[in-house]
Amino acid sequence: MFFRLNAFAFLVAGEKDYSIYDMKNNSIYMLNREAGMLIKRLENNVDLDTLKEYEKHKNVCMDFLGMLAQKGLGDFFENEVHIEKFRFNAPIQKKGMLEPVPQYVKCYLEISNECNLKCSFCGKSKYINWLGCQSCFRNQNHQEASIKYDKLVSELEEIGVKELILGGREPFCKSEVIYKLIEQCKKNSRINLIITTPGSVEANEILKVSSLYEKIKLNIVVFATRRFSEFLSEEMQEFIRKQEKLFSVLHKNNIPYSVTLQIYDKNRNYAEAIIRDIKTELGITPMIADIVDMEKREKLTHIGMNQKMLSQYRNPREFYLRKSYNPCLYGVFSIDLFGNVNPCPGIHKALGNITDNTLHEILSKDDLYSYWTYSKDKVVYCKNCSMRYFCSDCSVFELASYESSNVHNMFCPANIEEKASDISNVEFVGWNKEYLSLDY
């Protein structure tokens, strides 16, 4: 007798445990080692009756496999069978004979180095502000480039970029640049425009800009809710009241937005309660922005494990893509104030400069592609984790982990160094989670 997982179920091995990814129902099943080893053997078309563990613990094994069959994850067969795993989005074009043709998905564009706020952590070259207003961009001693935005948008459209993400402290301090970009984007509405902003300018100005293009979405960076603003400076309290008005204006005018909570020394002790307030008041689960000192390789802020979501989820159908590519870097590149094209805002390895060459010339090199193919199987602290194909952390720290292991641990939701299977409090966005155990 044989047992096989179905075409939509994939077994992924970790060092200490296993996972079954159910792509049909967006479910994750965490298995203990005994269960994973049994399924691994059966997936190789081994006859169940020939296994020693089955001979010794027949009832236990049958109960476990029957449970998997009941969940629709697999089935029993009289004879050896071949299961053709479902390949999503097939057929797919190939680059040469082996690699899929790359798709440019996101471009991060730094348009400003100005802001009306005076945050202590912002604008300092040694700090990375992960996902916050600074969007990983760091000040450099270069002259700001004179970028031809009409030409840039045209080139982005030519290579098929789907999202243009504007950042750099307060982008609305450079509203004239946003107007130019909107004007060009409206000529070909394929590009979605996302603006990461603390909303430090007048709400009416943000509303005016956001109403000009139907494919604009705002990512508002917040620092607290009013209930916890008393612990902040008077200036920040006034700003939080200003943000409340902004949210009211955006909601009233049906302007789409997401929210990012910036964690820093003044609010980190109340972060989890602030997140609950945001969920209650706005009906949005915020993304989390942390601050890291890259010189000391230390995380300056911290948030409880049960609130640290596995963020940046796209679609579970990307299983095959995630096996071959880095889910954070694939399809991404960034352009800073100085015209430098980098693999992402936080990885400062200039591939070229758009004032010297066209985007097509810069991106046609294999340099960027080497970052895209930096899959989880190549990350030293990820390759032995069974969650690696549905986890997406910051690749800046994956690359830095070769120098210091604590860098990766700071952003690993499972805290893999301490206990690989300790994920009971991690929220799997878009997935259902269940633990299955086989105990002999």
Side-chain angles (χ1 to χ4, degrees), residues 113-147:
N113 193 28
E114 302 173 19
C115 186
N116 297 321
L117 301 178
K118 298 178 181 178
C119 301
S120 59
F121 53 83
C122 190
K124 296 183 179 179
S125 61
K126 69 175 182 176
Y127 293 159
I128 276 192
N129 187 7
W130 193 48
L131 292 177
C133 329
Q134 192 73 353
S135 299
C136 296
F137 288 111
R138 287 178 280 172
N139 294 344
Q140 303 175 54
N141 296 320
H142 299 291
Q143 184 176 355
E144 187 174 328
S146 178
I147 298 175

Side-chain angles (χ1 to χ4, degrees), residues 22 47 86 102 156 192 195 282 318 321 423 432-433 436:
D22 179 3
D47 191 335
F86 188 84
L156 292 175
N192 295 305
I195 306 176
L282 301 176
E318 295 183 4
L321 185 68
I423 57 170
N432 302 310
K433 178 182 65 176
L436 303 178

Side-chain angles (χ1 to χ4, degrees), residues 22-215:
D22 179 3
M23 296 303 179
K24 188 173 183 179
N25 301 302
N26 292 3
S27 296
I28 298 292
Y29 295 92
M30 307 299 299
L31 310 179
N32 65 354
R33 187 167 183 81
E34 289 74 17
M37 290 295 292
L38 175 64
I39 298 299
K40 183 179 180 180
R41 294 189 182 99
L42 295 177
E43 282 294 273
N44 289 322
N45 262 324
V46 174
D47 191 335
L48 188 60
D49 294 315
T50 64
L51 297 178
K52 293 181 179 179
E53 56 264 50
Y54 178 73
E55 182 180 348
K56 293 181 180 179
H57 310 282
K58 184 174 182 179
N59 291 336
V60 175
C61 290
M62 286 301 294
D63 287 344
F64 176 75
L65 296 175
M67 177 177 58
L68 295 185
Q70 189 175 15
K71 293 179 179 295
L73 296 174
D75 211 343
F76 294 94
F77 300 92
E78 289 290 334
N79 301 303
E80 182 177 333
V81 296
H82 171 70
I83 303 292
E84 180 65 29
K85 292 295 184 181
F86 188 84
R87 295 183 178 270
F88 296 94
N89 302 323
I92 187 170
Q93 286 182 298
K94 293 287 184 179
K95 177 187 177 185
M97 292 296 292
L98 300 174
E99 299 293 340
V101 174
Q103 297 181 19
Y104 300 102
V105 180
K106 295 181 181 180
C107 173
Y108 291 85
L109 178 63
E110 184 183 30
I111 66 171
S112 171
N113 193 28
E114 302 173 19
C115 186
N116 297 321
L117 301 178
K118 298 178 181 178
C119 301
S120 59
F121 53 83
C122 190
K124 296 183 179 179
S125 61
K126 69 175 182 176
Y127 293 159
I128 276 192
N129 187 7
W130 193 48
L131 292 177
C133 329
Q134 192 73 353
S135 299
C136 296
F137 288 111
R138 287 178 280 172
N139 294 344
Q140 303 175 54
N141 296 320
H142 299 291
Q143 184 176 355
E144 187 174 328
S146 178
I147 298 175
K148 297 179 179 179
Y149 292 104
D150 54 345
K151 178 185 176 185
L152 175 60
V153 172
S154 177
E155 291 187 18
L156 292 175
E157 291 172 347
E158 285 179 8
I159 63 176
V161 167
K162 297 175 177 60
E163 291 183 359
L164 179 57
I165 304 171
L166 307 185
R169 304 184 75 176
E170 176 54 276
F172 283 99
C173 284
K174 290 292 184 70
S175 291
E176 69 277 9
V177 174
I178 301 179
Y179 285 127
K180 290 179 183 178
L181 291 168
I182 289 175
E183 183 181 354
Q184 295 303 316
C185 287
K186 288 173 73 172
K187 293 178 180 179
N188 189 328
S189 59
R190 289 183 303 178
I191 295 181
N192 295 305
L193 204 58
I194 299 174
I195 306 176
T196 300
T197 171
S200 65
V201 301
E202 292 301 320
N204 287 337
E205 174 64 15
I206 296 177
L207 176 63
K208 178 182 177 182
V209 172
S210 302
S211 302
L212 292 175
Y213 185 47
E214 63 179 6
K215 292 196 172 184

